[in-house]
């Protein structure tokens, strides 16, 4: 949990100190790469760390990830300009990729199927606590100390986590392979390069340059060529980083697609709800953050109780119930009154957190339970990788939708010269004297419409998740009961070591 906390609190604590960082180091035009660079490094390294943990064990990968994250934190605190800080944030992300995937895998290794919901719920509380504590701690450090402390504060947390892992994490002995394990470094490089180019195109398209410009088309074309080359490399590799069975097995493929769609829809609340709260409801940044954070309060509670549902009706049906509820909640957002009260979106986010907790955890627990130890790291990494890619794709797609709707609504504005970009409009609304009363109301309504369309798009992503489960996921997940787990389930199924049960 401490290792996970390093990655969980990172984004929220850094975001609050951006004004102080930019004021000290400059680089206003590229500061978004503080987050994009970190996200890119985490995403493209997930498959590599998953395969390494299956090959060499979870403990060395987790230790290496914590050390790398702490080295990146020290370097970030010592950064002398924005370019250096962005580079060191990427180093942090290289460690963060090991933390996110390996912790989830270890949780499945150490605890039998019946106990995994409780453990996964505790890991969810780490994210919930970070969502609330991160902005507060980051604001206090940036306001009363120095922004460099937001990185140095990782050192004591990481040191304790490292000591606990080294001292107390004991993996079961595994038989040594007859031949020395081979790492598919060519495949790893291909995955890294393909993911880097694709995510750069998605993150910067429509922001740093137009979508149909030479940089966007060049990056997308190069990523397509590299993706094809990587597929060829992986097919020939003895131990590929992303093996073909990840997509040939219906259970894993359906969960990958469903959680990829969930990553897509998560952009609506995490990226656009704070903008809505500030620009339409007129809340301050901290209050807007708390409107979003209520989602992280109901999520772990729902996840902890989900086993009572999927033990009765199965993983697939439980996830379908959760995503069906999320679909209705997302469709309810455009029906909120204008301008409305802050508790209106807060209530919807509370319900959305409960729905997504009922969706995500059964799928993660279920898919981890369909593979043995030697495949669990790769499987978990593939699920998290698809979710991260979906989130990057959603940010690009919904950003284009929001800016398109906003520009269309501002064509008949009562004043000329209004910015057509959502971020620029939000900054302008922070100045009370920027517009007349009529123009301000028109701009607020335009932002309201733009966010409404984003939520409609998020509802479409929820429908895609449901479609993946309905058409691809087997009705009963083929559960593997390993020797460390209770054997009653396998005995009930009538076959030693394997359970084809509703759960």
């Amino acid at each position: 949990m401490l290792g996970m906390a390093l990655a969980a609190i990172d984004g929220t604590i850094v975001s609050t100190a951006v004004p102080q960082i930019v004021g000290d180091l400059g680089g206003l035009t590229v500061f978004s790469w503080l987050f994009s660079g970190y996200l890119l490094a985490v995403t493209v390294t997930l498959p590599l760390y998953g395969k390494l943990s299956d090959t060499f064990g979870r403990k060395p990968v987790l230790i290496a990830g914590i050390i790398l994250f702490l080295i990146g934190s020290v370097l970030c605190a010592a950064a002398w300009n924005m370019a250096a800080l962005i580079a060191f944030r990427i180093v942090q992300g290289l460690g963060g990729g090991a933390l996110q995937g390996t912790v989830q895998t270890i949780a499945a290794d150490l605890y039998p199927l019946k106990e995994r919901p409780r453990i996964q719920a505790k890991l969810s509380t780490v994210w919930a606590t970070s969502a609330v504590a991160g902005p507060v701690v980051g604001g206090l450090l940036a306001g009363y100390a120095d922004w460099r402390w937001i990185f140095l504060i990782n050192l004591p947390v990481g040191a304790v986590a490292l000591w606990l892992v080294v001292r107390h994490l004991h993996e079961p002995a595994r038989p040594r392979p007859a031949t020395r394990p081979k790492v598919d470094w060519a495949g790893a490089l291909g995955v890294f390069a393909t993911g880097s180019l694709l995510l750069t195109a998605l993150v910067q398209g429509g922001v740093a340059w137009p979508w149909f410009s030479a940089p966007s088309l060049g990056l997308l074309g190069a990523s397509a060529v590299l993706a094809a080359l990587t597929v060829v490399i992986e097919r020939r590799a003895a131990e590929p980083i992303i093996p073909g069975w990840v997509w040939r097995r219906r259970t894993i493929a359906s969960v990958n697609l469903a959680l990829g769609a969930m990553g897509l829809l998560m952009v609506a609340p995490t990226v656009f709800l704070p903008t809505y709260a500030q620009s339409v409801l007129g809340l301050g940044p901290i209050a807007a953050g708390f409107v979003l954070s209520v989602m992280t309060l109901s999520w772990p509670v729902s996840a902890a109780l989900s086993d009572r549902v999927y033990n009765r009706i199965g993983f697939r049906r439980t996830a379908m119930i959760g995503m069906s509820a999320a679909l209705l909640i997302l469709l309810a957002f455009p029906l909120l009154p204008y301008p409305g009260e802050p508790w209106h979106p807060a209530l919807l986010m509370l319900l959305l957190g409960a729905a997504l907790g009922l969706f995500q955890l059964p799928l993660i627990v279920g898919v981890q339970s369909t593979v043995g130890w030697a495949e669990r790291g790769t499987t978990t990494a593939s699920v998290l990788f698809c979710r991260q890619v979906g989130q990057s794709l959603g940010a690009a797609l919904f950003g284009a939708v929001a800016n398109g709707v906003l520009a269309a609504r501002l064509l008949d504005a009562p004043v000329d010269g209004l910015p057509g970009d959502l971020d620029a409009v939000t900054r302008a609304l922070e100045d009370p004297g920027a517009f007349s009363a009529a123009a301000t109301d028109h701009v607020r309504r335009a932002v309201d419409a733009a966010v409404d369309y984003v939520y409609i798009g998020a509802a479409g992503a929820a429908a895609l998740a449901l479609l993946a489960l309905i058409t691809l996921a087997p009705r009963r997940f083929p559960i593997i009961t390993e020797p460390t787990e209770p054997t009653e389930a396998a005995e009930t199924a009538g076959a030693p070591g394997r359970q084809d049960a509703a759960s």
Side-chain angles (χ1 to χ4, degrees):
M1 290 175 71
L2 283 175
M4 182 69 82
L6 290 173
I9 202 170
D10 183 79
T12 56
I13 196 172
V14 172
S15 61
T16 56
V18 165
Q20 288 77 14
I21 295 174
V22 172
D24 188 14
L25 301 181
L28 178 63
T29 57
V30 295
F31 83 89
S32 63
W33 273 99
L34 291 177
F35 308 98
S36 301
Y38 178 85
L39 175 64
L40 187 151
V42 169
T43 303
V44 299
T45 54
L46 277 169
L48 173 61
Y49 287 127
K51 185 62 179 179
L52 290 177
S53 72
D54 283 342
T55 305
F56 300 105
R58 326 295 188 209
K59 186 172 182 177
V61 174
L62 182 58
I63 290 174
I66 294 175
I67 293 174
L68 195 55
F69 190 92
L70 295 181
I71 291 174
S73 298
V74 173
L75 292 174
C76 286
W80 54 90
N81 58 32
M82 185 61 74
L85 183 58
I86 291 171
F88 298 148
R89 283 281 290 167
I90 293 175
V91 175
Q92 261 193 321
L94 296 177
L99 294 174
Q100 290 196 29
T102 311
V103 169
Q104 294 278 5
T105 306
I106 290 174
D109 287 342
L110 296 182
Y111 296 92
L113 180 58
K114 290 182 179 180
E115 295 184 35
R116 285 177 195 164
R118 176 174 60 86
I119 299 306
Q120 291 285 356
K122 287 184 176 181
L123 292 178
S124 296
T125 62
V126 174
W127 292 93
T129 304
S130 301
V132 177
V136 176
V137 175
L140 290 174
L141 290 175
Y144 297 98
D146 187 272
W147 62 265
R148 299 178 190 274
W149 281 100
I150 66 174
F151 298 107
L152 294 176
I153 199 174
N154 292 330
L155 299 183
V157 178
V160 175
L162 190 61
W163 178 77
L164 289 172
V165 169
V166 171
R167 184 177 177 86
H168 295 291
L169 177 58
H170 304 291
E171 295 188 271
R174 304 287 172 179
R176 290 189 176 183
T179 59
R180 184 179 180 182
K182 294 182 179 180
V183 179
D184 178 24
W185 293 114
L189 180 61
V191 171
F192 188 89
T194 303
S196 298
L197 291 182
L198 177 60
L199 291 177
T200 300
L202 294 176
V203 169
Q204 294 298 299
V207 179
W209 48 71
W211 275 110
F212 293 102
S213 64
S216 281
L217 296 178
L219 286 171
L220 291 173
S223 63
V225 172
L226 282 176
L229 180 61
T230 302
V231 170
V232 174
I233 294 173
E234 293 295 82
R235 284 183 173 180
R236 297 179 177 179
E239 294 290 339
I241 294 295
I242 303 181
W245 54 260
V246 167
W247 294 105
R248 287 194 297 267
R249 298 181 191 178
R250 288 177 57 195
T251 305
I252 303 175
S254 62
V255 172
N256 282 344
L257 293 175
L259 287 186
M262 192 198 81
L264 196 69
L265 74 85
M266 282 298 295
V267 172
T270 57
V271 176
F272 291 93
L273 183 63
T275 299
Y276 172 87
Q278 293 182 65
S279 299
V280 179
L281 301 181
L283 301 179
I286 295 179
F290 279 112
V291 171
L292 172 62
S293 67
V294 296
M295 181 175 68
T296 64
L297 301 179
S298 58
W299 192 315
V301 175
S302 173
L305 298 176
S306 65
D307 64 320
R308 302 187 182 184
V309 183
Y310 68 66
N311 281 332
R312 291 178 177 271
I313 65 174
F315 292 119
R316 176 175 175 265
R317 290 180 181 176
T318 303
M320 289 172 61
I321 291 173
M323 188 50 73
S324 298
L327 172 60
L328 296 177
I329 294 165
L330 292 167
L331 288 175
F333 188 91
L335 303 178
L336 293 178
Y338 172 86
E341 299 293 333
W343 68 266
H344 293 157
L347 177 61
L348 289 184
M349 292 306 100
L350 189 71
L351 296 175
L352 183 62
L356 294 178
L358 201 62
F359 168 79
Q360 178 178 264
L361 188 133
L363 290 184
I364 291 180
V365 171
V367 77
Q368 287 179 330
S369 303
T370 64
V371 294
W373 187 95
E375 296 177 339
R376 190 170 291 142
T378 299
T379 300
T380 303
S382 73
V383 169
L384 299 179
F385 176 77
C386 288
R387 188 181 66 185
Q388 294 282 81
V389 170
Q391 193 168 347
S392 300
L393 180 61
L397 177 63
F398 293 146
V401 168
N403 287 328
V405 172
L406 184 69
R409 293 300 177 98
L410 293 180
L411 285 177
D412 57 346
V415 295
D416 296 327
L418 294 176
D421 177 78
L422 192 61
D423 291 335
V425 166
T426 302
R427 289 193 296 269
L429 286 173
E430 294 176 356
D431 182 4
F435 309 120
S436 65
T440 298
D441 182 70
H442 189 90
V443 171
R444 290 188 188 279
R445 289 182 181 274
V447 174
D448 179 61
V451 177
D452 285 347
Y453 274 92
V454 168
Y455 270 82
I456 292 173
L464 291 177
L466 280 173
L467 184 64
L469 293 178
I470 293 171
T471 58
L472 289 178
R475 295 192 176 187
R476 298 172 181 266
F477 280 24
I479 304 303
I480 293 178
T481 304
E482 294 186 300
T484 56
E485 297 183 2
T487 57
E488 295 85 13
E491 294 171 357
T492 303
R498 192 168 185 89
Q499 176 194 8
D500 189 16
S503 62

